[in-house]
Amino acid sequence: LLEDILGCEVLGYRAPSFSISKTILEMIRQAGYTYDASYNSFCLNNRYGRLDINEQDKKGIAVDLGQGFYELPLSNLQFGRWCLPFSGGGYFRLIPGPVFRMAVRKILNVNHAYHFYLHPWEADPGQPRQQQASLITRFRHYTNLQKTLPKLEFLLESFKDCRFSTCIDYLHHVRNDCMKPTV
């Protein structure tokens, strides 16, 4: 249905709440997707799935899982033994803009790429409020909605010297660059 509405093929998958596992990843591959973008290495959230992708072949930040299928892990900041979440969504809304920008710069310096996500609802401060949700869920969902678009503009302006692309365009780029002979 989504492909019919969009008029193009859907090539990527992102599991709700990053709830990924090796079994789910295999089902996604078998369904014909080119990539998954569900792995979040931030391990202090017990809703997030776990994958062991450290020994896999990497092309940029993309992890080649074989058979033309890739994992595009979310970008987090490694700070010694700690992994801090700086990939977007609620983290983007909750972390002060200058701190978020500094973390993105550090991630770019290490990985030469940064994987960011944002839900469309996070740019809608006028959305209906669900009062029956728990206090923590309401905090996670509604905090700083009014600041999302200005903060995103600030982030984009801060990195105007960078190239922005979709996940599939990034994959095409790194796959083609990795296939070119080096001189």
Side-chain angles (χ1 to χ4, degrees), residues 124-144:
D124 181 11
Q127 64 186 270
R129 305 291 170 145
Q130 302 300 318
Q131 297 304 321
Q132 68 274 20
S134 71
L135 183 61
I136 189 73
T137 297
R138 290 193 318 262
F139 174 79
R140 247 189 348 245
H141 192 88
Y142 299 119
T143 298
N144 291 338

Side-chain angles (χ1 to χ4, degrees), residues 118-129:
L118 193 67
H119 305 97
W121 60 262
E122 291 182 286
D124 181 11
Q127 64 186 270
R129 305 291 170 145

Side-chain angles (χ1 to χ4, degrees), residues 24-95:
I24 293 171
L25 201 58
E26 180 57 22
M27 292 188 318
I28 295 165
R29 187 194 62 75
Q30 287 177 5
Y33 289 97
T34 302
Y35 72 90
D36 173 71
S38 304
Y39 178 62
N40 190 334
S41 60
F42 179 62
C43 64
L44 295 181
N45 189 323
N46 60 4
R47 293 183 307 154
Y48 297 176
R50 305 288 181 254
L51 291 176
D52 185 11
I53 56 174
N54 292 327
E55 301 302 317
Q56 304 291 332
D57 184 32
K58 285 190 175 180
K59 291 174 176 33
I61 61 169
V63 179
D64 187 344
L65 300 175
Q67 302 174 351
F69 184 62
Y70 294 82
E71 178 63 38
L72 284 170
L74 292 161
S75 293
N76 291 321
L77 181 63
Q78 284 302 131
F79 193 73
R81 297 181 327 153
W82 297 95
C83 173
L84 305 174
F86 280 96
S87 50
Y91 304 112
F92 177 67
R93 288 184 294 110
L94 294 171
I95 297 169

